[in-house]
Each structure stands twice: as C-alpha cells, then as structure tokens.
Amino acid sequence: MTNPDNNSSNGKPVFPQEKIKIACKRVNVYYGDKHAIRDVNLEIGKNEVTAFIGPSGCGKSTFLRCINRMNDTIDICRVEGEIEIDNENIYDKSLDVVLLRARVGMVFQKPNPFPKSIYDNVAYGPKIHGIASTKGELEGIVETSLKKAGLWEEVNDRLDQPGTGLSGGQQQRLCIARAIAVQPEIILMDEPCSALDPIATAKIEELIEELKENYTIVIVTHSMQQAARVSQKTAFFHLGDLVEYGETEDIFTNPVNKLTQDYITGRYG
Amino acid sequence: MSDEHTVKSFDGEINRLNDVIIEMASLTKEQVRDAVTVVVKRDSELAGEIIEKDPAINNLELESHELTMRLLALRQPVAIDLRNIVVSIKISSDLERIGDYAANVAKRALVLNQLPPVKQARTIKNMGRVTYDLLKDVIDAYEHQDVKKALDVWHRDEEVDDMYTSIFRELLTYMMEDTHNITACTHLLFIARNLERIGDHATNIAEDIHFMIKGKPPTGRRPMGDVDGEFDIFDH
C-alpha cells in the first residue's frame, strides 16, 4: 500500500443513515498558515466508541475539538467544511455554541474539577442550563450522574468536600459526572487516562464501556492498547490526513495501509 | 519482515522465534527425506537415527512456544506482528506432527526390514518424493514470505491424496492375492497414510503463510483428493 490520497477513507466504514451520529464532510482546519487537518471525511456511529489514534501533532485532538467547536476559542484557528450532528450542521451561524457544548460534553487529559465542592462540580451545569427546576431535582441529577460515573459509592458521604481533594482517577470520574449532568448526547475524551494509574485507567475504561449504551463517545488516546480495548471504530491520523478508518478489530489485526501498520506495530520513527 | 521496530529488542525476539521455526522446519524436512530413504533402501541404521532425532523437534516446539508466550505477554503485538506470532504457534505444531509421522514411518520401516522385500515399496518412493517436495516448498515459502509458492503447495496437496488412494488400492490387491503379504502391506499402508498426513500438514502451513502475509485465509475450496474413496472398495 502506498501513501493514500486524502480522500481514501471517504465514507468508510459505511453506516446506515440512522446509525450516523456525527458526519464530517471535507473538514479542513488551519492554524494561521498551517494546514492542520486536510479534507477529512468521517462518519461516527451512534452509541459507539470511536478512537482517534496517531503520532503527536497528527491532528487528532484538533479534529476532536472541532466536534464541539472548541477551536472557536483559538483566534488563529479556521475550520472549513461541515460537521453535522443528527443532520444539523454545527458550524451553521444560527447555532448556539453554548447549547452545542451542552450536547457535546468534553473530558480532558488532566482532570480539571472546579475549585468547588464535589456536589457543586456536578450541579453547576444543570443549574446554569436550567435543567433542574427544584433543589430535589438537582440533587437527583447529581446522584444519578455520580452513579453513572461510578463515583457515587466513593463520595456520597462527602459531597461538600472540594472536588480537588479527590485522587486523580476520582477527579477524572468527577469530570465525567460533570459532563454527564447536562445530559449530553456525545462525550469527547482527549486522552482521559494519560494522567492516571492502571487501576484508575481500568475504571475509566469500564465506565466508557457502560456509557456507550447511552452516549456516543469519541476518544483520543496515545495508548493503542486502550484504543483496541475500548473502541468499536478506530481512525488513524497522520500529518493532518485521515489515513485509515475502520473496525477496531480490523485496524489492529489487518490494517490496509502501510502507515497504519508501521504506527501500530511500533515501526514508526 | 521488511522494516525494523523502533524498539530493536522486539525485532530480536521475533527474529529468534522465526529462526526457531526455520530450524524446526529444516530438521523436519530432513527427517521426512530420511524416512522415505529408509523405506526405499531398507536402511535400519538411518531409521534408528530418525527415531533418536525426533525429540529434538519436540524440544524446538517447546522453545517456540516459550518465545511466543513471552512476545504476547511483553510486547502486545498487533497486525502483522500478531499474525506472525500466532501463525508460529500453528506452524510449530504442524511441524511437530510431521516429525512424529516421519518417526512413525521409520519405526514401521524397521519392522519391514525384518520381512522379505516387497516390490511395492517402490511405489512409496514416488509418493515420498512428492510429499517431500511439498514440504520443502512450503518451508521455502515461509522463509521467503512467498504467498505464491504457498498457494502452489496448497493446490498440489491433491496429488499426494490421489497417490495415497492409488497405493491403498494397489496394496489391497496384493493382500488379496497372497495372505503372506498382509503384514508387510499393512505397514506400507500405514506408511503411505503417514505421508498423506504429512501432505495435509504442509497444506495447513501453506494456509497459515497466506494468513500471515495477507491477513486472511486463501479463498476458494481447499483442493482435496478422494482419500476416503478407499471405503468404496468395501462396498463392492
């Protein structure tokens, strides 16, 4: 296999229309003069975990951040093309970005709880989005979100303690609970386990597995084993190109592209 | 494998595994060649050597399994590396079985050598040569990562199966003609069966090579001789 042209992954894998949650069409991203993402076409399936892998600087995080318009916050960044969530272009001028970010939650590499209590960390989003109308309702959301994030058992007796006092793994699960609390449809995770130990990592991976029942998850990871363990689809990026996209199983047993093979087998230098 | 891993010791371990498989393969190949020679030339001394050498093949199989376990546990191989390592497990057990069949041929030849020579032993020679060639070619295909050659072996196994069926029929007629032939012919029949099984294992190896390189088994029906057609004889 030779280096593919930019459109080699167009339409692969093909989902039936009703299974597509996110459809990216000819997406290009520029940081000033730097062309960071080149003509990426990619469809992401509903209630699936999709992993983005690739060497540092390949554009996988940049691409992830396009999905909830986080790149809007960077002045020199310019995004072209279309990204549709449920057939609606999220770059449409009439779209409310704040609402979009409630629909598309995000979890970052380093756990970043607010310097507030555990309770307030989770309650903040529902409060400002007006999701809960009564105190009781809000308490219910906090409890459910913490339960879904697998943290409830560990923190239910100290909800008034600062979130920053938790262990790294617990903080990350708190951030996931915070993301879930605003009832998103999609959760973006940018290397969510890179600062965690193996046990905390395993808990997050188990959580991802459970969350995919209700959410569509896109995860950027540097750990190929993690991508193999948690995702159903894997996309390999290289120098801003989407080189290969397919079933995770196929990518890790029999990748089509030589670049993909070299990268995942540790021959990339 | 064409390109090197960033971690050189990974290459070292994979190469070591492939070397063990190749060493095992060339030893097995010699055993099969010698086993056929033993039958044709009634060489009991060589038969003894074959039987003595068989444990060496078994030991290499164990060594390959240890290397495989180590690679799987420590390197978490994927894609071509994973296929290479998994296929090594399969090929090593095929080679080990081939070694057993060669030793079995030698054991039966030792008995045959105590009996008066039977001229039918010569028909075994042809079958032995064809089987040996299959094995030699499939081992070549493994060493040189040659899918075309592996596929060629895959298609040629039918020839061995057909020879087996024809030898079976031939030996039956000799046994019917003169009951004194029964002991020798029975041993020859088992020898032919062993050779036919060696051909089958060579075909398995050919499929594994295809899978290792292409990531999928060869397509189409596996060519099969009418080995079980032998039972027709009892029906008539």
Side-chain angles (χ1 to χ4, degrees), chain A residues 225 228 251-255 258 261-262 264-269, chain B residues 1 3-7 10 76 78-83 214-215:
Chain A
Q225 276 78 34
I251 299 278
F252 286 96
T253 55
N254 192 18
K258 184 167 186 308
Q261 170 134 303
D262 286 352
I264 64 171
T265 60
R267 289 177 170 87
Y268 180 85
Chain B
M1 234 46 60
D3 301 327
E4 290 183 343
H5 288 91
T6 308
V7 180
F10 190 0
Q76 289 101 39
V78 293
I80 181 75
D81 298 329
L82 178 64
R83 300 203 302 271
K214 297 282 188 187

Side-chain angles (χ1 to χ4, degrees), chain A residues 129-178:
Chain A
H129 285 288
I131 291 170
S133 49
T134 66
K135 190 163 175 283
E137 216 176 314
L138 190 59
E139 277 170 6
I141 291 173
V142 171
E143 181 175 338
T144 317
S145 305
L146 285 169
K147 277 182 176 163
K148 278 189 190 161
L151 193 61
W152 177 252
E153 296 300 320
E154 293 162 55
V155 301
N156 64 42
D157 56 347
R158 46 176 169 144
L159 294 175
D160 56 342
Q161 303 283 305
T164 46
L166 297 170
S167 73
Q170 288 172 327
Q171 286 187 26
Q172 196 62 305
R173 278 180 282 147
L174 178 61
C175 293
I176 292 172
R178 186 178 62 188

Side-chain angles (χ1 to χ4, degrees), chain B residues 8 13 25 36 48 57-58 63 67 70 79 81 87 89 119 132 135 151 156 168 185 195 224 228:
Chain B
K8 298 284 183 291
E13 286 170 24
V36 176
I57 297 177
N58 301 348
E63 190 180 344
L67 288 165
R70 191 186 147 81
D81 298 329
V87 156
I89 305 177
K119 66 171 181 180
Y132 172 76
L135 185 60
L151 271 178
R156 272 161 48 205
F168 181 89
C185 285
L195 292 174
M224 291 274 226
D228 291 321

Side-chain angles (χ1 to χ4, degrees), chain A residues 48-63:
Chain A
E48 276 198 342
V49 181
T50 303
F52 291 173
I53 60 168
S56 293
C58 69
K60 56 191 189 300
S61 286
T62 298
F63 191 72

Side-chain angles (χ1 to χ4, degrees), chain B residues 89-168:
Chain B
I89 305 177
K90 297 182 74 185
I91 291 182
S92 69
S93 59
D94 278 317
L95 290 171
E96 190 273 333
R97 289 301 294 159
I98 293 174
D100 287 349
Y101 287 126
N104 190 272
V105 169
K107 282 175 198 161
R108 289 183 185 279
L110 280 176
V111 182
L112 271 181
N113 293 351
Q114 308 299 312
L115 300 167
V118 275
K119 66 171 181 180
Q120 294 77 26
R122 284 187 205 125
T123 56
I124 295 283
K125 183 182 174 183
N126 279 337
M127 188 179 176
R129 185 183 44 75
V130 174
T131 310
Y132 172 76
D133 285 347
L134 275 188
L135 185 60
K136 183 168 77 64
D137 287 349
V138 86
I139 291 168
D140 263 10
Y142 177 79
E143 274 190 72
H144 300 107
Q145 308 265 303
D146 186 341
V147 189
K148 203 168 156 283
K149 201 163 198 172
L151 271 178
D152 181 51
V153 169
W154 195 62
H155 287 296
R156 272 161 48 205
D157 179 49
E158 200 172 359
E159 199 182 335
V160 177
D161 292 349
D162 291 343
M163 286 176 116
Y164 170 68
T165 307
S166 121
I167 285 173
F168 181 89

